[in-house]
Amino acid sequence: MRDFSNDHRWLSLNTATVRKQGDLAQIVDACAKHGIRAIDPWRDQVATIGLDRAAKVIKDAGIELTGYCRGGMFTADESHRNEARDDNRRCVDEAKALGAPCIVLVVGGLPQYSRPGSAPSKNIVNARAQVDDAIAEMMEYAKQANMPLAIEPLHPAYAADRACVNTTEQALDICDRLDPNRLGMLGVALDVYHIWWDPELLPQIARAGKDRLMAFHVCDWLVPTKDILNDRGMMGDGVIDIKSVRSAVEAQGFAGYSEIEIFSQNWWDRPMDEVLQVCIERHKTVV
Ligand code: ZN
């Protein structure tokens, strides 16, 4: 496993971590100042400053991307499916313009939560079938842009409203169905917050192999977690053995960035410089 204790050259910042403290241009500035070499921006942050300006500030700062957040939210009733498809095609175009290495997919839960306005449904089996079909469709468009798609399995607590793909195994099953020849266009984004509890995690990481491991996200699981969405912990403040998970993905040959992604009111309330300093310190000591 790589030694992160001396520097933070393999730290990437998911820009949602400091989204309340500044816009994307300000975040890029702060990252450059702190020697952070990579980010994973969100679509709404890009839209706020405009795609062209976002691409320019990232390029001018010499900062790499570790992904683009996010595509997906595929599940919809019949009348909202075209909207979902078109939205995801725009996401591919944006990711291409920004030079992202992949799009992170949060696939959607039940239609009424993923695509508001959709007719209510309790059929999660059908939602999961829709996800397969929609990823297959998006892949056709993404392939033309040579843009890989990384499915992020989400903790089962999000099955209703954010993602009905809830385990690494389930995400890899989709990869195997839609990309049986491992052409490098479909893989997984593994986020320790969502997967740390899974007894099947280590064998599934081995099953994924290097070509399916497209992104690695870190934060921590606090006990108690007061808000499943916005109470993620800073690495080292919770119960996840982050190093053991990183060791497992690196044993498969993953040699990319560890991307820090913390949705937390606690950390949004602090100055950006302070948050980045703590991120760097914890990256060296507990990631
Ligand atoms: Zn994540």
Side-chain angles (χ1 to χ4, degrees), residues 14 104 152 190-191 194 217 232 259 261:
N14 185 296
V104 176
E152 182 167 10
L190 295 187
D191 185 324
H194 296 298
H217 299 177
R232 292 189 183 206
E259 176 182 321
E261 182 182 38

Coordinates of all heavy atoms in Angstrom, one line a residue, residues 14 104 152 190-191 194 217 232 259 261, ligand 1:
N14 N -13.6 16.1 -3.1 CA -14.9 16.2 -3.6 C -15.4 17.6 -3.2 O -15.5 17.9 -2.0 CB -15.8 15.1 -3.1 CG -17.1 15.1 -3.8 OD1 -17.9 16.1 -3.6 ND2 -17.5 14.1 -4.6
V104 N -19.5 9.8 -12.0 CA -20.0 9.0 -10.8 C -21.5 8.9 -11.0 O -22.2 9.9 -11.1 CB -19.6 9.7 -9.5 CG1 -20.3 8.9 -8.3 CG2 -18.1 9.7 -9.4
E152 N -21.8 4.1 -8.2 CA -21.5 4.2 -6.8 C -22.6 3.5 -6.0 O -23.8 4.0 -5.9 CB -21.4 5.7 -6.3 CG -21.1 5.8 -4.8 CD -20.6 7.2 -4.4 OE1 -20.8 8.2 -5.2 OE2 -20.2 7.4 -3.3
L190 N -16.2 3.4 -5.3 CA -16.4 2.9 -3.9 C -16.1 4.0 -2.9 O -15.1 4.6 -2.8 CB -15.4 1.7 -3.7 CG -15.7 0.5 -4.6 CD1 -14.8 -0.7 -4.1 CD2 -17.2 0.0 -4.6
D191 N -17.1 4.1 -2.0 CA -17.1 5.2 -1.0 C -17.2 4.4 0.3 O -18.2 3.8 0.6 CB -18.3 6.1 -1.2 CG -18.3 7.3 -0.3 OD1 -17.9 7.1 0.9 OD2 -18.8 8.4 -0.7
H194 N -20.4 4.2 2.4 CA -21.5 3.3 2.0 C -21.2 1.8 2.1 O -22.2 1.0 2.1 CB -21.8 3.6 0.5 CG -22.3 5.0 0.3 ND1 -23.5 5.5 0.9 CD2 -21.8 6.1 -0.4 CE1 -23.7 6.8 0.5 NE2 -22.7 7.1 -0.3
H217 N -13.7 6.9 -2.6 CA -14.1 8.0 -1.7 C -13.9 7.7 -0.3 O -14.3 6.6 0.2 CB -15.6 8.4 -2.0 CG -15.9 8.7 -3.4 ND1 -17.2 9.0 -3.8 CD2 -15.1 8.9 -4.5 CE1 -17.1 9.3 -5.1 NE2 -15.9 9.3 -5.6
R232 N -21.9 13.1 7.9 CA -20.7 12.3 7.6 C -19.5 12.8 8.5 O -19.5 14.0 8.8 CB -20.3 12.3 6.2 CG -21.2 11.7 5.2 CD -20.6 11.6 3.9 NE -21.5 11.1 2.9 CZ -21.0 10.5 1.8 NH1 -19.7 10.3 1.6 NH2 -21.8 10.0 0.9
E259 N -10.3 10.3 -2.6 CA -11.2 11.5 -2.7 C -12.0 11.7 -1.4 O -12.7 10.8 -1.0 CB -12.1 11.3 -3.9 CG -13.1 12.4 -4.1 CD -14.0 12.2 -5.3 OE1 -13.6 11.6 -6.3 OE2 -15.2 12.5 -5.1
E261 N -14.9 13.1 0.6 CA -16.2 13.5 0.3 C -17.0 13.6 1.6 O -17.4 12.5 2.1 CB -16.9 12.6 -0.7 CG -18.3 13.0 -1.1 CD -19.0 12.1 -2.0 OE1 -18.7 10.9 -1.9 OE2 -19.7 12.5 -2.9
Ligands
ZN1 ZN -19.0 9.1 -2.7

